[in-house]
Amino acid sequence: QLQASGGGLVQAGGSLRLSCAASGRTFGSLIMGWFRRAPGKEREFVAAIMRSVDSTLYADSVKGRFTISRDNAKNTVYLQMNSLKPEDTAVYYCGAARSMYGSREQWFDYWGQGTLVTVSS
């Protein structure tokens, strides 16, 4: 089970950190990722991180502004979002994949409930 938190309202240029806590003892074996769904759009990939934190992947739209990280001891994955833009407004979802590492939504097996991020201009 995945529980995302940390969303809220922020002005453009501001920062937020999202957290996603996972239950169970297999967190370290999971590939973790963040996706988002903006109003009226399909859900899209944001970032992913390998099991052992030595590899990360980002969508071009967030590269250089967002950082994904994980703490396997706390069963938690984070998304640090800096220099936020109004177009980052979306519901953000964390996902977990058992075996495939990448940006494809269908590779993720488990999903959290989402947390809303609103960036005002």
Side-chain angles (χ1 to χ4, degrees), residues 8-46:
L9 174 64
V10 64
Q11 287 189 327
S15 298
L16 278 176
R17 188 175 81 153
L18 305 183
S19 300
C20 176
S23 59
R25 293 179 287 181
T26 61
F27 180 78
S29 68
L30 297 171
I31 297 154
M32 301 300 297
W34 288 95
F35 286 71
R36 66 186 181 186
R37 178 182 282 128
K41 295 187 177 181
E42 298 290 317
R43 188 157 62 179
E44 65 175 4
F45 171 76
V46 175

Side-chain angles (χ1 to χ4, degrees), residues 17-22 24 26-30 32 34 49-53 68-79:
R17 188 175 81 153
L18 305 183
S19 300
C20 176
T26 61
F27 180 78
S29 68
L30 297 171
M32 301 300 297
W34 288 95
I49 187 166
M50 272 293 283
R51 302 174 180 91
S52 57
V53 312
I68 188 171
S69 61
R70 65 189 295 165
D71 185 336
N72 288 342
K74 295 183 178 179
N75 282 14
T76 302
V77 61
Y78 305 97
L79 185 68

Side-chain angles (χ1 to χ4, degrees), residues 17 48 98 110:
R17 188 175 81 153
R98 290 192 299 264
Y110 311 104

Side-chain angles (χ1 to χ4, degrees), residues 36 61-62 65-66 83-90 92 117 119:
R36 66 186 181 186
S61 59
V62 306
R65 300 188 297 123
F66 291 11
S83 302
L84 282 161
K85 304 175 182 180
E87 51 263 44
D88 295 318
T89 294
Y92 284 72
V117 172
V119 184

